[in-house]
Amino acid sequence: MRALEHGDGADVDELMRLVRRRGTPAQVLEWLGRRTGADVAWIGRGGVVEAATAGFPRRAAGALAEHVERLASGRLAAATTRVGELEVRLEAFGGGEPRPVLVTVSASALSRGAASLASQAGAVVDLLSRVSEADGTAHGYEAKAAQVRFAVLTALLAGDVTMARRMTTGNVPPLLDAQRVRVHLLHCPPADRDRLTRTYLDPSGYHGPGLMVNCPVFREQLICPVAEDPELGGRFRQGEVLRRLVGENPGYALGVSRPHPLTATAEAYGEAVHALAVARNSPGRLAAYRGRPSLVHVLPHRPALAWARAHLEPLQAVPQPTVDVVRLAVTFSRSGVARLLHLSRTTVTAHCRRAEEALGIDLGEVRTRATLDLALSLTALQSDPADTGRPAVPQLGELLRAAPATAWAEPFLRPLRDSGHRDLYRTVEAWIDANTDAQRTAARVGLSRNTVRAHLRAAERLLNRDLLTTGSGVHDVVHALRVVDAQRAHPPAESGRRARWPSADVAS
């Protein structure tokens, strides 16, 4: 023990080196035990042994309960006692009550130098514990902030800005004061998402005039709605940060929507999804949405809504949660829907089966999903309050033969029907006929499966549509091909006699 008494400075240096190596409280106690020859325990604020050397007699802790309580409550700073043949020293640390207590147990009383070293080690353990608690608090705050950001984004995707503001009362993010929003969808390694959200997090738990939210469906995507209003600084600052990240990281890609009203965040997200598909197939890995609107926005509104309501009428007999699940399941995979809604995949499948039975359909068929998605999307559009009439219910075929549909489908498919890309058109058409199964498509067109997927990626770039991640772009292709097929079966003159609606009925 003499070396210990004269080696306090060296011992403190060694203790600090242990701390710099990110030592744990247990490692500090083991070091103290080796230096003093005592067994050591750290009793936390809850009165429970949180760390101890291997030889510490746990039975002694029960006999020391009264002493520990006195020290923890602040009535004593330190104490010594005996338990059987063992010498026990106790010392409390910290200013807040209840205080943690360091207990040393040895065959003989500690020397003055050993007791001093125990006090220094105890102060280090207390500091490490406080740092650990602070880290836990910070991580808890970050987790709660992430949950709030996700809730805000969910409300915006539902078009409910008021609900988003209610959820953030007292700490409303600047994004909710924006007139218009542009969604940036960043593709990056899943492990980078949390690092990026932490890096650009502001003290309020948001990201300045935008949000950065981990996509719950696709683990490699970060959803970033950014205020378009210049006075909020969103358009230039946030957008430039994301573009710089893409430029600096070869594994990144970014899809950017057009600006939309805050209530139309869902539409902006859909555009960002399509733009990201283009970006991932582009040399610069960056793309802004330049595609055409979906069919739902060009069909004659009143007759299309009448068809959609009639098509969905059987769903009135199923619970609303089933409709909500199916609304997502026509676009995302069932496992993706399960992650998004925090349900089991079995529960999602049960909801889908209930809807299939009510409608008499098979959601495993891409054309069936496209039709259901069209009907659900039409009923989600805002109706004209002045529209109280009950138009005749047309068949879907009539709607697809109408002039608005043909005027939409022809330019939509034109990039694939040009002479230089006829092979892509044949592949896409065969892919839809094969129910989007690449292997079956390859057999139909006499190509390899890899070539089929390469053709589909090229088609994504030409159509400005995502075909391989979500269902929305695929459904647009299904509808466009249906319109072309309807034109072949019914020449334009005949179509004009069969279905004609005033231009005022076209959805905006």
Side-chain angles (χ1 to χ4, degrees):
M1 194 63 69
R2 185 180 298 113
L4 179 61
E5 301 226 7
H6 296 286
D8 287 349
D11 286 323
V12 171
D13 289 343
E14 187 177 347
L15 185 57
M16 291 300 100
R17 283 196 296 272
L18 180 60
V19 172
R20 285 193 291 271
R21 293 198 299 269
R22 297 181 179 271
T24 64
Q27 289 173 324
V28 173
L29 297 185
E30 290 290 346
W31 174 86
L32 178 62
R34 290 194 301 271
R35 294 299 294 129
T36 62
D39 284 303
V40 193
W42 182 259
I43 299 179
R45 299 179 190 278
V48 178
V49 176
E50 294 182 353
T53 56
F56 183 82
R58 298 280 176 154
R59 55 184 173 76
L64 296 171
E66 184 177 347
H67 292 82
V68 170
E69 193 277 330
R70 287 181 179 178
L71 273 78
S73 64
R75 284 179 283 170
L76 292 174
T80 58
T81 187
R82 290 182 64 86
V83 176
E85 298 298 320
L86 299 175
E87 293 285 343
V88 180
R89 181 180 184 276
L90 304 94
E91 185 175 355
F93 293 86
E97 300 170 1
R99 301 186 298 174
V101 176
L102 178 73
V103 181
T104 59
V105 177
S106 55
S108 59
L110 295 182
S111 67
R112 181 178 300 178
S116 175
L117 189 60
S119 295
Q120 293 167 339
V124 169
V125 172
D126 183 45
L127 178 61
L128 292 175
S129 298
R130 289 173 182 271
V131 169
S132 178
E133 289 173 5
D135 285 345
T137 300
H139 291 152
Y141 168 77
E142 290 177 1
K144 292 299 181 184
Q147 291 171 358
V148 171
R149 292 194 299 271
F150 177 74
V152 169
L153 177 62
T154 300
L156 290 179
L157 290 175
D160 197 339
V161 179
T162 301
M163 178 59 73
R165 295 188 72 90
R166 286 177 179 172
M167 289 188 295
T168 57
T169 299
N171 187 23
V172 177
L175 176 66
L176 298 186
D177 293 323
Q179 296 298 312
R180 297 172 73 77
V181 64
R182 194 187 294 261
V183 173
H184 296 66
L185 191 58
L186 181 69
H187 174 95
C188 63
D192 287 6
R193 298 193 305 177
D194 288 340
R195 177 178 59 80
L196 292 173
T197 55
R198 284 195 303 270
T199 299
Y200 299 102
L201 194 67
D202 63 28
S204 64
Y206 304 117
H207 299 90
L211 299 176
M212 301 179 82
V213 180
N214 289 353
C215 177
V217 178
F218 303 108
R219 302 184 191 281
E220 66 282 356
Q221 291 183 5
L222 198 60
I223 306 171
C224 308
V226 178
E228 182 71 4
D229 305 39
E231 61 270 20
L232 295 177
R235 176 179 181 182
F236 304 102
R237 185 171 58 194
Q238 301 287 99
E240 284 303 316
V241 167
L242 294 169
R243 286 174 170 81
R244 177 174 54 78
L245 287 172
V246 172
E248 295 173 352
N249 298 275
Y252 286 26
L254 182 67
V256 185
S257 76
R258 297 175 297 187
H260 287 268
L262 201 57
T263 53
T265 302
E267 188 173 343
Y269 169 72
E271 290 184 357
V273 169
H274 297 314
L276 180 60
V278 175
R280 294 181 64 189
N281 297 315
S282 302
R285 294 170 283 110
L286 174 66
Y289 180 76
R290 292 186 175 85
R292 296 180 172 275
S294 295
L295 178 62
V296 66
H297 296 293
V298 302
L299 287 176
H301 183 65
R302 293 182 65 205
L305 185 58
W307 164 79
R309 287 173 173 166
H311 185 77
L312 298 176
E313 186 176 0
L315 289 183
Q316 294 180 5
V318 305
Q320 184 60 39
T322 292
V323 179
D324 295 337
V325 168
V326 170
R327 192 181 295 274
L328 294 169
V330 294
T331 301
F332 300 108
S333 68
R334 294 184 183 182
S335 58
V337 174
R339 289 195 296 272
L340 177 61
L341 299 180
H342 298 284
L343 299 172
S344 69
R345 193 178 187 279
T346 302
T347 300
V348 172
T349 299
H351 281 296
C352 291
R353 187 177 297 115
R354 186 180 294 126
E356 288 176 325
E357 292 171 354
L359 293 167
I361 60 174
D362 177 9
L363 288 175
E365 294 292 329
V366 65
R367 290 187 174 90
T368 300
R369 292 196 300 275
T371 300
L372 183 55
D373 187 22
L374 179 62
L376 290 168
S377 299
L378 285 165
T379 56
L381 294 177
Q382 282 191 328
S383 300
D384 185 352
D387 183 9
T388 58
R390 287 183 173 272
V393 179
Q395 297 295 316
L396 179 58
E398 288 184 83
L399 294 171
L400 297 183
R401 291 194 297 272
T406 58
W408 168 80
E410 289 173 356
F412 179 84
L413 291 174
R414 187 175 297 134
L416 296 184
R417 302 179 79 182
D418 286 346
S419 59
H421 301 295
R422 292 287 176 82
D423 55 337
L424 301 184
Y425 184 84
R426 285 192 296 270
T427 299
V428 170
E429 193 173 33
W431 184 60
I432 297 298
D433 288 338
N435 200 30
T436 65
D437 185 299
Q439 193 64 50
R440 287 168 53 193
T441 304
R444 285 176 180 236
V445 297
L447 299 172
S448 71
R449 186 174 181 274
N450 287 342
T451 302
V452 167
R453 291 187 67 84
H455 280 194
L456 294 175
R457 285 193 291 270
E460 285 182 322
R461 187 173 64 254
L462 293 171
L463 296 174
N464 277 284
R465 285 296 190 274
D466 168 46
L467 302 181
L468 298 173
T469 306
T470 66
S472 57
V474 180
H475 298 166
D476 281 336
V477 172
V478 169
H479 299 318
L481 292 175
R482 276 177 169 169
V483 171
V484 170
D485 290 342
Q487 281 185 292
R488 291 171 183 165
H490 301 279
E494 182 182 353
S495 298
R497 290 194 299 272
R498 283 175 176 263
R500 181 178 295 141
W501 295 280
S503 58
D505 277 334
V506 177
S508 58

